[in-house]
Amino acid sequence: MNDEVYKLIYAIITILITSGCFGYINYNILEKLNVIVDTPNKETDKKQKIMIFTGVNVGLYWILTTVLNCEMSLSIVLVLLFDVAGTIWIIKPLIELINSLINKIRNTSGQSYTENRNTRDYIFNTNKIQTLFVFDFDNNLITCGYLDYQQSGDNNYFDLALMPLDHPENQYSFEYIVEEVSKHENSRTLVDFEKQIKIYILRD
C-alpha cells in the first residue's frame, strides 16, 4: 500500500477513535446493562464518561500500534473486540465492584444505599407478573391492569401499557387495594408527586 494512502487511512481511523465513536460503544453497552444510568438533564456526565472510555480506547490503540507494532487493521479489530467483550467482562464487573465498595462505605457511615437506576426502572424491571392500580391523590381509581410495557425511566414522558384485568375496574376500591398490598411482601407503591398519582403494584 502507498505510504501516503496508509498515512491517510491511519489518520482517519485515529480521528474516529479519538473523536469518541468507539467510546460511545462502551457507554451504550453499559447503559443497556443498567450499569450506567444518565437522565437527559445529565448530558455533561454522559459526555465525560464517553471521554473516559475514549481515552481507554486511544490508549489501547496506541499500545497495539506503537508498542506491540500490530497492523492497523488488526488493532482496530482488537479495539472493537475490547469494546464489546471487554466492556461486558472487564469494565462492567469493575464498575459494579466500585459501586459495591462505595455502598459498603456509605452503609458503614450510616448513609443510605445508592442506586444507579431510575426509580421507575428499579420498580418495574422484573420478570414477575405485575398488577397495577393507579390512583390520584384523592384516592380515586384512574385505571388498573396487568403491566404489559413501561417506557424507560430515562425518558421524561411517563406512560404505561396495561392489559385488562378479569373484573371491571369499578370493583376495586382504594381500601381493598391498600389491604391487598399490605398482605404481599413483594408489593410496591410508586408515588409520583409531579403527576400526583399513586401506583400500587401487586407482584405474583
Side-chain angles (χ1 to χ4, degrees):
M1 182 183 293
N2 186 284
D3 286 344
E4 293 298 324
V5 175
Y6 180 87
K7 289 179 180 179
L8 177 62
I9 295 175
Y10 183 87
I12 293 173
I13 296 301
T14 302
I15 290 172
L16 286 174
I17 294 176
T18 57
S19 65
C21 294
F22 283 26
Y24 184 78
I25 296 175
N26 303 101
Y27 181 90
N28 193 48
I29 293 174
L30 292 171
E31 187 179 41
K32 293 293 186 294
L33 295 173
N34 285 324
V35 177
I36 289 178
V37 178
D38 286 323
T39 55
N41 61 346
K42 290 188 176 181
E43 280 297 316
T44 302
D45 291 345
K46 177 178 179 179
K47 291 176 181 177
Q48 289 175 345
K49 293 183 179 77
I50 292 176
M51 286 176 62
I52 292 172
F53 295 135
T54 299
V56 173
N57 281 288
V58 170
L60 178 60
Y61 184 70
W62 179 82
I63 291 172
L64 290 170
T65 55
T66 305
V67 179
L68 301 179
N69 293 320
C70 294
E71 292 184 1
M72 182 177 61
S73 57
L74 176 60
S75 298
I76 295 171
V77 171
L78 290 176
V79 171
L80 287 173
L81 183 63
F82 171 79
D83 282 343
V84 178
T87 299
I88 296 173
W89 298 108
I90 299 175
I91 297 178
K92 176 179 179 290
L94 182 61
I95 293 176
E96 290 175 338
L97 176 62
I98 293 172
N99 288 336
S100 177
L101 291 174
I102 290 173
N103 279 315
K104 287 182 179 179
I105 295 172
R106 288 175 63 89
N107 185 52
T108 303
S109 60
Q111 300 181 60
S112 62
Y113 180 84
T114 180
E115 174 64 51
N116 285 330
R117 288 176 292 175
N118 183 282
T119 303
R120 280 188 273 145
D121 291 337
Y122 173 76
I123 290 180
F124 292 130
N125 287 351
T126 174
N127 56 4
K128 297 179 181 296
I129 297 175
Q130 300 183 94
T131 308
L132 274 55
F133 298 88
V134 185
F135 290 88
D136 61 22
F137 276 14
D138 294 323
N139 299 331
N140 298 310
L141 180 65
I142 298 174
T143 188
C144 58
Y146 299 109
L147 180 62
D148 184 40
Y149 176 79
Q150 71 95 15
Q151 200 165 28
S152 175
D154 59 4
N155 191 306
N156 285 329
Y157 189 79
F158 183 20
D159 58 5
L160 297 167
L162 302 178
M163 298 173 61
L165 299 178
D166 299 330
H167 303 288
E169 292 185 3
N170 57 15
Q171 292 190 17
Y172 300 100
S173 66
F174 176 74
E175 291 76 15
Y176 171 77
I177 297 304
V178 171
E179 183 179 351
E180 285 299 306
V181 168
S182 65
K183 294 178 182 177
H184 294 77
E185 182 180 348
N186 292 326
S187 296
R188 297 290 185 273
T189 303
L190 175 62
V191 181
D192 190 325
F193 291 99
E194 181 182 353
K195 297 174 178 59
Q196 296 191 328
I197 58 173
K198 298 178 291 186
I199 305 178
Y200 291 88
I201 305 160
L202 293 173
R203 293 174 175 171
D204 296 333

